[in-house]
Amino acid sequence: MALAADTPNSGVTSLGAIDRRVQARRLTVVLALLLAVMSVLSLAWGASGTSLWGALQDLAMGRDLSRLDQIVLFDIRLPRLFLGILVGSALAVSGAVMQGLFRNPLADPGIVGVSAGAGLAAICAIVMGAFLPAMLRDTVGNYLVPIAAFLGGWGSTLILYRVSTRRGQTSVATMLLAGIALGALSGALSGILVYIADDNQLRDLTFWGMGSLAGATWSKVLAASPIIGVALLALPALSRGLNGLALGEAAAGHIGIPVQRVKNIAILIVASATGASVAVSGGIGFIGIVVPHLLRLASGPDHHSLLPNAALLGASLLLAADMISRVIIAPAELPIGIITAVLGAPVFLWILLRRFGSTGL
């Protein structure tokens, strides 16, 4: 059992655990290759006539790229590629961390209200932005909605943390229930704002709510990179703690897991990564809930391999969805959230049916 190998008192590492770790490392290599392939395809595939291969041939033969090719490759597709990798990784890893923290396979950042809080703040910025002082609007410009979404995600996390923490101890069950209530409240307030929005604001709200990487710019990549990068780099510190929490908080404490510290770090990572993702791409569903399930079926629940593999697979799937979204009705572009829902919902149903079949329910 992979979990037993992580605990201080496990003693002997079973052969089954070794097999699963070898399998997980092979899966990591496969997923890294998949991400590399998807990255090349993302650069090469698009609605415009610009060809990556033609551009590479021009560069190899010492010819200068046309201005149009430079714009398409370096100012549109390349920042879109990096933003897709960041957002896909953040959403998938956040889902894996939430499911491990709550010991609930249905948990993801949306269920604790982080995404709903970010969405409500973004809708407020779109609908009420016209009433802000002109100096403030001129200062933040097009970053008003992303900044509001990030602050909204953090604000909802702080409220949850405050509600669910007593005497220095955070109740995961209380946080889960409070998250559901906060999500419902955010949905109701968002509905009021949508009701009073004008036609132009409704169009912005619709496209933002369904998620898209169409607005990817280098400034967005640079804004999201430090937050999501730090969150992803902190993952190794969480793996052992999340494995221990699978036994229950009391048992985890008995084997030396700093339960409260693990919960604090996990909540911090999810709030930061999800808030940054929603801020730059809008609402994109199913990546955070489907990816961890697929990986547990392939290589088991050990978070040492699950978290990095979730980052690789989440990034690859989001790049694939983005490529489909920009060519399926070209030259128009379909919101990426529709693609992830169409692809993710059947996969999730298949996973549920497979689980029910294996347990005889």
Side-chain angles (χ1 to χ4, degrees):
M1 181 177 178
L3 179 59
D6 294 319
T7 58
N9 300 323
S10 58
V12 180
T13 301
S14 69
L15 292 175
I18 294 175
D19 289 341
R20 276 193 289 273
R21 287 185 178 181
V22 171
Q23 186 178 356
R25 286 170 186 163
R26 289 174 180 168
L27 182 61
T28 302
V29 174
V30 171
L31 292 176
L33 292 174
L34 175 64
L35 180 56
V37 171
M38 298 307 297
S39 298
V40 173
L41 291 177
S42 180
L43 280 178
W45 203 6
S48 75
T50 298
S51 166
L52 174 64
W53 320 117
L56 292 176
Q57 286 178 354
D58 288 343
L59 291 175
M61 298 180 69
R63 294 195 293 261
D64 293 334
L65 296 180
S66 67
R67 181 60 184 155
L68 176 61
D69 288 346
Q70 290 180 20
I71 292 174
V72 170
L73 290 176
F74 298 114
D75 294 340
I76 297 177
R77 291 185 188 172
L78 202 55
R80 190 167 183 150
L81 166 66
F82 282 109
L83 201 65
I85 292 174
L86 288 171
V87 172
S89 302
L91 293 176
V93 168
S94 297
V97 171
M98 283 285 97
Q99 291 168 19
L101 183 66
F102 291 115
R103 300 189 295 282
N104 187 328
L106 297 178
D108 77 343
I111 205 168
V112 294
V114 178
S115 299
L120 174 61
I123 291 173
C124 280
I126 293 173
V127 177
M128 310 299 290
F131 299 101
L132 293 175
M135 181 180 294
L136 181 58
R137 290 203 308 271
D138 294 339
T139 302
V140 296
N142 294 327
Y143 296 100
L144 176 61
V145 174
I147 291 173
F150 183 73
L151 295 178
W154 261 97
S156 60
T157 304
L158 290 176
I159 293 173
L160 284 173
Y161 190 79
R162 178 68 177 169
V163 168
S164 58
T165 301
R166 292 288 184 275
R167 299 185 181 89
Q169 297 296 313
T170 304
S171 168
V172 172
T174 303
M175 177 172 283
L176 186 62
L177 295 174
I180 293 173
L182 187 61
L185 179 61
S186 298
L189 295 176
S190 298
I192 294 173
L193 291 170
V194 168
Y195 187 77
I196 64 175
D198 59 31
D199 290 344
N200 290 331
Q201 291 169 341
L202 279 175
R203 187 165 51 249
D204 292 339
L205 291 174
T206 301
F207 282 101
W208 190 89
M210 289 188 286
S212 177
L213 297 177
T217 60
W218 285 115
S219 59
K220 285 188 177 181
V221 173
L222 293 176
S225 294
I227 301 169
I228 296 177
V230 169
L232 296 177
L233 289 175
L235 292 178
L238 277 181
S239 299
R240 181 173 176 270
L242 291 174
N243 282 349
L245 283 174
L247 302 172
E249 292 189 15
H254 286 308
I255 61 175
I257 301 295
V259 174
Q260 188 59 36
R261 190 191 308 167
V262 170
K263 288 192 288 188
N264 290 342
I265 295 174
I267 293 167
L268 180 65
I269 286 179
V270 170
S272 302
T274 305
S277 299
V278 174
V280 295
S281 66
I284 297 176
F286 281 98
I287 296 289
I289 198 166
V290 168
V291 169
H293 280 288
L294 291 175
L295 292 173
R296 287 193 192 93
L297 290 174
S299 59
D302 186 357
H303 287 84
H304 287 100
S305 58
L306 178 64
L307 297 182
N309 285 345
L312 293 171
L313 183 57
S316 298
L317 289 182
L318 193 59
L319 290 182
D322 181 49
M323 282 187 285
I324 295 173
S325 74
R326 54 178 142 142
V327 299
I328 192 170
I329 56 171
E333 188 169 313
L334 204 60
I336 198 170
I338 295 176
I339 304 297
T340 57
V342 169
L343 298 178
V347 173
F348 189 60
L349 284 174
W350 172 76
I351 293 171
L352 290 178
L353 293 174
R354 192 175 184 277
R355 279 178 174 270
F356 290 159
S358 64
T359 56
L361 295 175

